[in-house]
Amino acid sequence: MTLAERLRVLQEQAGRDAAPRPPSDALSLQLRRLLGVRAVQRQRTPLAAPAGTRLADGLYLVQTRWPSDAPAQLHLPGPDTTAVARERLVCFDTETTGLAGGVGTKAFMLGLAQWQGGQLLVRQLYLTALAGEAAMLDTFAAWLAPDSILVSYNGRSYDAPLLKGRYRLQRREHPFEDRPHLDLLHAVRRAFRGVWANCRLATVERELLGIVREDDLPGAQAPAAWLAFLRGEGSRELGRVIDHNRQDLRSLAALLQWFGTPRWGEAGATAACAV
């Protein structure tokens, strides 16, 4: 065999050794399964939003109304018990991705309740994708009049600071700077600390407003419900979060009305004496 022939044989042998070996049956099956899972994930159709009207990409609105017997003027709890037109009072509440706050926490639902004529109007904005956050913040700010008075329950410590941070991250001015903010948690503590075991909103509903929730999703479970929806695991639990947030807003309006009507004068003084 000539030198040229021997070199050709060596090159052919080297080429065969370098050729990729076919995968084993087990490895081939595993690869097919992984590829199959990925194919299913790519083809998965996003879940429909549980309720409401689409306002923008990733943003939905749920709107409801109830008859209301609130007086035209409501007295704000405080040293001077100022009376204001009920239409100026805007109750708001958020549902967020965590309860600790911080830069990474987002509000995926933002609800608002206010009186219009003889009705209580509740509007709830919620996200089906993070891309809708800027539109949600813009919509909330647009709903507030220059003379609106914001009303919350623990909102001074939690909801407002969180929303201010989200507005800044979206490079927008937040609507809290020039508007009064009444946090009813402080009014409840002044009146009922030492009377009740705690001043949670659920306690206020039970002890003061006569409200008993049925099949209510605890607020602590709201983040998991929203994240499960984003993963395509179902929209039922997110619908329960909408119901929970709606009741929070209605209870906040009822509490504001309780403080703002004449019966608060006698009942409030009795409670304060018991503290």
Side-chain angles (χ1 to χ4, degrees):
M1 180 181 296
T2 64
L3 180 61
E5 291 173 340
R6 291 178 62 186
L7 286 173
R8 185 168 59 253
V9 170
L10 291 173
Q11 288 173 347
E12 290 176 355
Q13 291 177 346
R16 284 195 298 268
D17 292 341
R21 296 180 180 178
S24 65
D25 292 343
L27 179 59
S28 178
L29 179 60
Q30 184 178 6
L31 288 172
R32 285 198 300 271
R33 286 176 177 172
L34 290 173
L35 291 173
V37 169
R38 290 177 181 174
V40 170
Q41 290 175 343
R42 285 195 300 269
Q43 295 169 5
R44 175 181 290 167
T45 302
L47 288 174
T53 303
R54 179 181 176 276
L55 297 184
D57 289 342
L59 177 65
Y60 279 75
L61 165 67
V62 179
Q63 183 168 292
T64 46
R65 295 176 182 266
W66 286 272
S68 174
D69 61 353
Q73 297 278 325
L74 289 173
H75 293 268
L76 303 183
D80 56 0
T81 61
T82 303
V84 300
R86 64 185 180 185
E87 282 78 12
R88 292 181 58 194
L89 300 167
V90 179
C91 304
F92 76 100
D93 184 51
T94 65
E95 305 297 334
T96 66
T97 57
L99 300 179
V103 177
T105 305
K106 302 175 179 62
F108 66 85
M109 189 174 297
L110 177 51
L112 177 153
Q114 61 188 138
W115 283 278
Q116 288 189 354
Q119 296 181 318
L120 180 70
L121 170 64
V122 175
R123 290 177 285 185
Q124 297 168 276
L125 299 164
Y126 70 95
L127 302 178
T128 59
L130 293 177
E133 182 182 45
M136 181 179 73
L137 298 175
D138 289 343
T139 302
F140 176 69
W143 284 344
L144 301 178
D147 64 345
S148 291
I149 299 173
L150 295 167
V151 182
S152 67
Y153 203 81
N154 197 34
R156 277 190 174 276
S157 299
Y158 184 76
D159 302 79
L162 186 146
L163 289 173
K164 288 178 184 179
R166 301 315 302 176
Y167 274 99
R168 292 190 187 101
L169 287 173
Q170 291 291 344
R171 300 180 182 277
R172 285 160 166 76
E173 293 185 4
H174 65 75
F176 299 93
E177 192 68 40
D178 300 321
R179 291 181 175 85
H181 183 172
L182 172 63
D183 191 333
L184 288 180
L185 172 61
H186 303 304
V188 168
R189 283 176 173 168
R190 286 194 298 269
F192 298 104
R193 176 180 286 161
V195 179
W196 300 334
N198 58 66
C199 291
R200 295 173 59 243
L201 185 57
T203 303
V204 176
E205 290 176 338
R206 182 180 64 253
E207 300 290 343
L208 192 67
L209 304 177
I211 296 172
V212 178
R213 302 197 190 198
E214 296 181 358
D215 191 34
D216 180 62
L217 183 77
Q221 297 180 22
W226 183 66
L227 293 173
F229 171 80
L230 294 187
R231 292 193 297 265
E233 297 177 8
S235 61
R236 180 181 179 276
E237 295 302 292
L238 181 57
R240 294 179 67 198
V241 177
I242 295 173
D243 294 340
H244 172 87
N245 179 260
R246 182 187 297 120
Q247 184 57 60
D248 280 353
L249 291 164
R250 294 185 68 187
S251 296
L252 190 54
L255 178 60
L256 183 60
Q257 184 175 342
W258 189 90
F259 273 115
T261 51
R263 65 173 176 266
W264 157 241
E266 181 180 353
T270 302
C273 291
V275 174

